[in-house]
Amino acid sequence: MALTGTGNALNSLVETARRASRAGYPDEAARTWEQVRKSVPDHPEALFFFGQRALAQGDANGAVQLLARAANAAPNDALIPLNLANAYRALGNPDLEQTALDAALKADPYCYPALLAKGALLERRGLSRLAARVFVDALKITPAEERLSADLRALVARARSAVSDNTAALDAFVESRLGNLRKEHAGARLSRFDECKDELTGAKKIYTQQPVMLHFPQLPAIQFYDEAEFPWAKDLEAGTAAIERELDALLREPEPGFRPYLNHPDGVPLNETAPLNKSLDWSAYFFWDDGKRINDHCKQCPQTA
């Protein structure tokens, strides 16, 4: 939130109030925020604190008054209208609740709690299809559930259920219109058409390549290839027992020769793969490495090689 007012004394009071709130001393924080308001009556952060406090104490009308003033003082802060929407919901005013949520999303289109709340509001108003669309957007940007509060986790569960229900309803509607066409093309391979339909209804995600290092152009976005395209795979599968025997023997060796599959130099940004770098938790026993045959490994597992 933006600070208003001037002087080191005011800044010191604001920081003291913030520390008291973070430490779990709401009464001390309230006394300090009152001192801030004596200097700056419409200080947005102070108004926000007292608005939240009023709402927690069951005073939705008082919360609306304070949070509306805070929103006017800090129009680019999404959290203020989000809490204002909560106050309007407590008062049973869905029109103003939606107005407040729209204001929150105008300030920050990626405010996922506001998106989740808007989806829930639309669902309560009977606009299930529109709610599902909003929920889809919310779920794309909502963090992992272990990072969410209990109330947000419940909203996420509701969002997933609503999206699933909407997808099933849309799929059933489309299928009801395709019945005769499917009969006309009985026996035809319709897998590509079905995948297209499932992507349209939201029943399926199309996976495209997202390489870390090298993008090889013009690869088809096929999630699972048809076995018929790989006739040699049956010979490989037939050797499963032999591969398992050689692997078991290898694992009994005191130093079998496995090494980390990821071995990037230090200082390279790795994102989600960082824990696996140089780790034997994801290791490999190479028969070929950078185009060179590793003869000792091939001799150790001749049938696999």
Side-chain angles (χ1 to χ4, degrees):
M1 293 183 183
L3 293 178
T4 60
T6 58
N8 292 331
L10 178 63
N11 291 334
S12 178
L13 282 173
V14 168
E15 189 54 41
T16 299
R18 289 172 177 167
R19 284 199 301 268
S21 292
R22 288 195 296 265
Y25 299 114
D27 292 337
E28 180 182 334
R31 287 192 293 270
T32 310
W33 282 122
E34 280 291 3
Q35 294 180 60
V36 171
R37 289 186 65 192
K38 288 179 181 178
S39 298
V40 185
D42 279 339
H43 190 285
E45 200 166 350
L47 291 168
F48 182 61
F49 172 85
F50 286 112
Q52 283 185 304
R53 198 177 200 209
L55 187 59
Q57 293 172 345
D59 181 10
N61 282 306
V64 164
Q65 299 301 317
L66 290 161
L67 292 169
R69 287 173 59 190
N72 287 331
N76 294 323
D77 192 319
L79 290 180
I80 298 174
L82 174 61
N83 280 266
L84 183 57
N86 293 337
Y88 283 129
R89 182 164 66 253
L91 292 172
N93 192 327
D95 291 335
L96 289 178
E97 179 187 353
Q98 183 159 340
T99 298
L101 289 173
D102 288 341
L105 291 169
K106 181 179 179 181
D108 180 8
Y110 293 92
C111 182
Y112 65 88
L115 281 170
L116 289 168
K118 183 173 181 178
L121 171 62
L122 291 170
E123 193 175 42
R124 291 197 305 273
R125 304 188 89 167
L127 303 171
S128 57
R129 291 179 63 188
L130 185 56
R133 286 193 219 120
V134 174
F135 278 142
V136 166
D137 291 337
L139 292 173
K140 289 177 183 177
I141 60 175
T142 298
E145 288 193 36
E146 58 268 20
R147 296 170 53 191
L148 302 176
S149 61
D151 58 334
L152 282 177
R153 284 199 297 272
L155 260 180
V156 167
R158 181 61 222 146
R160 288 192 177 128
S161 178
V163 171
S164 177
D165 290 346
N166 184 69
T167 297
L170 181 57
D171 187 71
F173 172 80
V174 173
E175 280 296 334
S176 71
R177 298 299 192 271
L178 292 175
N180 291 332
L181 285 173
R182 287 195 183 281
K183 291 178 182 178
E184 291 176 16
H185 297 277
R189 289 188 61 185
L190 300 176
S191 57
R192 289 179 66 195
F193 172 80
D194 287 335
E195 190 169 352
C196 172
K197 182 208 56 153
D198 289 344
E199 194 277 334
L200 172 68
T201 62
K204 183 177 179 61
K205 176 181 177 181
I206 303 300
Y207 290 88
T208 56
Q209 61 164 318
Q210 296 178 320
V212 176
M213 292 181 291
L214 177 67
H215 182 278
F216 196 84
Q218 301 179 29
L219 293 179
I222 300 174
Q223 186 176 0
F224 299 107
Y225 284 80
D226 193 308
E227 290 183 359
E229 297 185 50
F230 306 96
W232 50 264
K234 295 187 184 303
D235 294 333
L236 181 62
E237 292 169 355
T240 298
I243 294 171
E244 286 181 335
R245 285 194 299 271
E246 292 184 344
L247 175 60
D248 288 340
L250 190 64
L251 292 173
R252 287 194 292 269
E253 294 286 334
E255 295 184 8
F258 283 84
R259 59 183 172 84
Y261 185 74
L262 292 182
N263 189 21
H264 297 291
D266 294 336
V268 174
L270 299 175
N271 300 323
E272 69 274 7
T273 62
L276 295 173
N277 190 39
K278 303 183 188 300
S279 171
L280 287 173
D281 289 342
W282 190 17
S283 53
Y285 187 81
F286 287 89
F287 297 102
W288 292 76
D289 188 16
D290 286 338
K292 296 181 180 179
R293 191 175 192 269
I294 304 177
N295 292 322
D296 289 344
H297 286 194
C298 292
K299 289 178 181 178
Q300 184 76 16
C301 305
Q303 290 180 282
T304 302

